[in-house]
Amino acid sequence: MTSIAPPGYPPARHVLRDLRIAVEHRPDATSSAWLPSSPFLSAESGALHAGVLATLVDLAGGGLAAQAASPDWIATADLSLHLLPRAVAGDVEARSRVLRAGRTTVVLEVELRAHDGDPGLGAATMSFAVLPRRDANPVVDQADTVSRATMAAPGSGFTEPVGDRIGLTVVDAATGVVELPLTDYVRNTLGALQGGMAATVVDAAAQHALRAACGTPVETADLQLTYLALARVGPVVTRTQVLSAWPAFGTAHVELLDAGAGGRLTTLARVVAARPA
Amino acid sequence: MSAFTDPDAGRAVARYLGVTMREVGEPVEGGATVRGESPIGPHLRGPAGTVRSGVLVAMADSVAGLCSGLAVLPGWVVSTNLMLTAGRLDARGPLQLDARVLRAGRNAVVAAVEARDAGRGGARVADGVLTSTVLDPAGGPPVYTRPLVLRAPQPPVDAAPSLPEFFGVHVTGPTRVAVEIAPHLRNPWGILHGGAIGVLVDAAAEHALGPPFDATDVVCHFLRPARIGPVEARAEVLGTRGDGQIVRVAVHDTGADDRLCAVAIVTARPPVDR
């Protein structure tokens, strides 16, 4: 689910190009990724969607974890995101650092910052399983010098809300059922649903269900995702259960199923949605 | 000698929590289901009578940890990551925790755990996932009769020490609390029990924020074992939002060159109208 860019990835038309994320890896085992904010990536309050920020975190953390595990390879095991949501102008930065790089796992911590004078936007953590290297895995160079690359391409960017652009369909808002076709636009290097896009689907499903249950326009503030299997066929569809609902916030449990693979459970999540401050 | 030769070793925390654990169904390779039940006595609740999130973390770690271990016998497990979201903390009890294996691989096990309040018709109290690393115990795995039942005798209510007393939690600074690694707080690996780290994280967040906040959601990465102690939890309040506050807690083994042993992110909220 983690995307280290091998040659040809992402393709010319891909969500990572439209997000216009730039990534910098440094020799001190840290990295940063920057996302230009946009109304098309934001909820009604002006805060960036949690799923979009999870995509930023996934991209920043995945590259750093791959370096930490090199020459072996990695698979994202879990991602947690804890937001202090507010409207942001300009870029959002995800600063990653390695907490542990062991034989079987890599653990990262990610700080989310804005550059508009009020930096704190939240925190994230990620765990990765270390896998034996295969010939098909991209070669990850160690960062001997500061290296910076951008996913943006000429003309890339959003002209419609991100949910519409990726093809997200709300099947039943009140029960948190949403569906996403698995197109090349949202695939990762393995041809499966990109990890940040899985978070985007979970975010949408929980937020719809919790708005109905809470009776207020809550927005996703926390995501806890456990990645169990790759979604390779699609469409992916959500099954949501509201755990608690009050006017100020609610919590939900979301399962992401690969409907085209017999309803295989691919991702398990818990979500908190809170009323904007 | 490995503590794993004694199937009762490292069970003091589970006994204090009053969690009786039963394996459900016949043993199957690579899978297990375990049910834990606790009356959640008053010693496991905060001043407002709500269940402490540290208690939920400790119970979830115990029940899901046992479930994960049974799935990978003759190996055994050590917790690496626990993610828990609480719905409501005003449980009447008894509390019922059900853990099941989602995935068991050669190196890692993932188990789901959910806690329900039997006193409220099975209302969901908390929902989480425990990830564990598979290791080979030097002295061999614990010898269990399957399906397994591990009973926790209930102490008289008046005789149960308070949570800070049992775990030895003491304040070491405006945003810091610590524990010594007493023998009863060690797990079968001989290191500080994951549940004790959960209690420590909860205590640090509460101490840093002050009342009326309850830690409700916890993501805890167990990075390295705490073997020597004292073990100190250092809280940093990251900010405020519509439903509460976000706190980062770093847990260090101060007796081992201040080694970073765990990092947790906690969401804490004021009590809601229930």
Side-chain angles (χ1 to χ4, degrees):
Chain A
M1 290 155 209
T2 294
S3 306
I4 311 301
Y9 185 88
R13 291 174 55 80
H14 195 275
V15 65
L16 296 181
R17 295 216 180 276
D18 283 338
L19 286 169
R20 303 182 66 82
I21 293 173
V23 183
E24 180 177 282
H25 292 293
R26 296 182 281 267
D28 62 352
T30 65
S31 73
S32 287
W34 293 266
L35 169 77
S37 59
S38 158
F40 297 119
L41 307 178
S42 306
E44 291 90 329
S45 70
L48 287 161
H49 288 300
V52 167
L53 290 172
T55 307
L56 176 69
V57 166
D58 182 65
L59 206 64
L64 185 60
Q67 281 191 337
S70 180
D72 288 325
W73 193 236
I74 52 162
T76 312
D78 56 68
L79 184 155
S80 77
L81 184 69
H82 316 266
L83 298 177
L84 300 164
R86 64 176 176 83
V88 176
D91 286 357
V92 172
E93 179 183 358
R95 292 184 182 180
S96 310
R97 71 184 181 109
V98 176
L99 292 176
R100 173 181 163 78
R103 185 177 53 82
T104 58
T105 58
V106 175
V107 183
L108 305 182
E109 184 174 32
V110 184
E111 178 189 8
L112 288 164
R113 300 171 62 89
H115 291 276
D116 57 4
D118 184 12
L121 285 178
T125 66
M126 296 183 80
S127 299
F128 301 83
V130 178
L131 307 174
R133 176 167 193 81
R134 293 180 180 175
D135 291 343
N137 295 142
V139 175
V140 178
D141 295 328
Q142 296 299 316
D144 297 327
T145 58
V146 175
S147 61
R148 190 164 181 165
T150 178
M151 297 280 181
S156 65
F158 284 93
T159 55
E160 60 184 326
V162 59
D164 295 343
R165 183 69 187 86
I166 63 177
L168 190 74
T169 303
V170 179
V171 178
D172 187 338
T175 58
V177 180
V178 303
E179 187 176 287
L180 181 74
L182 195 48
T183 63
D184 289 346
Y185 187 71
V186 295
R187 290 184 196 272
N188 65 11
T189 55
L190 301 173
L193 182 65
Q194 200 266 348
M197 288 297 101
T200 298
V201 177
V202 165
D203 169 13
Q207 187 169 288
H208 280 296
L210 288 170
R211 285 183 172 196
C214 296
T216 51
V218 293
E219 295 178 1
T220 301
D222 288 346
L223 286 171
Q224 299 176 6
L225 296 134
T226 303
Y227 297 104
L228 297 168
L230 295 170
R232 292 184 183 276
V233 185
V236 293
V237 63
T238 55
R239 189 160 57 197
T240 302
Q241 183 179 9
V242 171
L243 302 177
S244 65
W246 288 282
F249 74 99
T251 60
H253 169 112
V254 182
E255 296 175 344
L256 189 60
L257 312 170
D258 188 343
R264 185 183 196 196
L265 177 61
T266 66
T267 304
L268 200 60
R270 286 154 310 287
V271 182
V272 176
R275 192 165 53 194
Chain B
M1 185 179 73
S2 165
F4 283 94
T5 55
D6 174 4
D8 265 354
R11 295 211 58 243
V13 170
R15 286 205 177 100
Y16 173 73
L17 299 171
V19 184
T20 290
M21 296 185 276
R22 291 182 176 82
E23 187 176 7
V24 179
E26 293 300 313
V28 293
E29 189 174 340
T33 302
V34 171
R35 169 165 290 184
E37 287 182 315
S38 169
I40 42 172
H43 60 294
L44 304 178
R45 299 174 183 269
T50 53
V51 182
R52 299 302 311 258
S53 77
V55 167
L56 286 175
V57 168
M59 288 183 177
D61 183 63
S62 294
V63 177
L66 179 66
C67 178
S68 301
L70 292 175
V72 297
L73 283 169
W76 200 250
V77 292
V78 60
S79 304
T80 53
N81 177 24
L82 179 61
M83 304 196 287
L84 195 75
T85 296
R88 54 189 307 163
L89 297 173
D90 58 340
R92 292 175 182 156
L95 204 62
Q96 187 174 298
L97 295 100
D98 288 303
R100 63 189 170 93
V101 170
L102 297 172
R103 189 178 65 197
R106 190 166 50 87
N107 294 322
V109 188
V110 181
V113 58
E114 63 178 40
R116 293 181 180 275
D117 182 5
R120 284 188 192 275
R124 183 105 59 146
V125 173
D127 191 66
V129 170
L130 176 73
T131 304
S132 307
T133 291
V134 181
L135 300 173
D136 292 321
V143 180
Y144 287 138
T145 301
R146 311 279 298 274
L148 176 64
V149 178
L150 294 175
R151 296 185 191 282
Q154 301 307 309
V157 170
D158 293 344
S162 70
L163 208 63
E165 286 170 344
F166 179 82
F167 287 96
V169 178
H170 56 278
V171 171
T172 51
T175 59
R176 298 182 177 200
V177 298
V179 297
E180 307 287 340
I181 311 182
H184 67 282
L185 299 184
R186 294 183 187 270
N187 69 13
W189 296 102
I191 61 179
L192 184 62
H193 195 287
I197 291 178
V199 169
L200 192 59
V201 164
D202 177 27
E206 181 198 67
H207 177 56
L209 291 172
F213 289 95
D214 286 330
T216 54
D217 308 334
V218 178
V219 171
C220 186
H221 292 274
F222 304 98
L223 302 169
R224 300 170 187 89
R227 297 183 190 279
I228 300 173
V231 177
E232 186 176 65
R234 302 165 187 169
E236 175 191 4
V237 180
L238 299 181
T240 303
R241 67 183 195 203
D243 62 326
Q245 305 218 39
I246 308 297
V247 185
R248 176 188 185 272
V249 182
V251 179
H252 294 258
D253 188 344
T254 63
D257 295 326
D258 212 38
R259 184 156 101 142
L260 179 63
C261 297
V263 168
I265 308 288
V266 176
T267 302
R269 302 186 181 95
V272 291
D273 181 13
R274 291 160 175 135

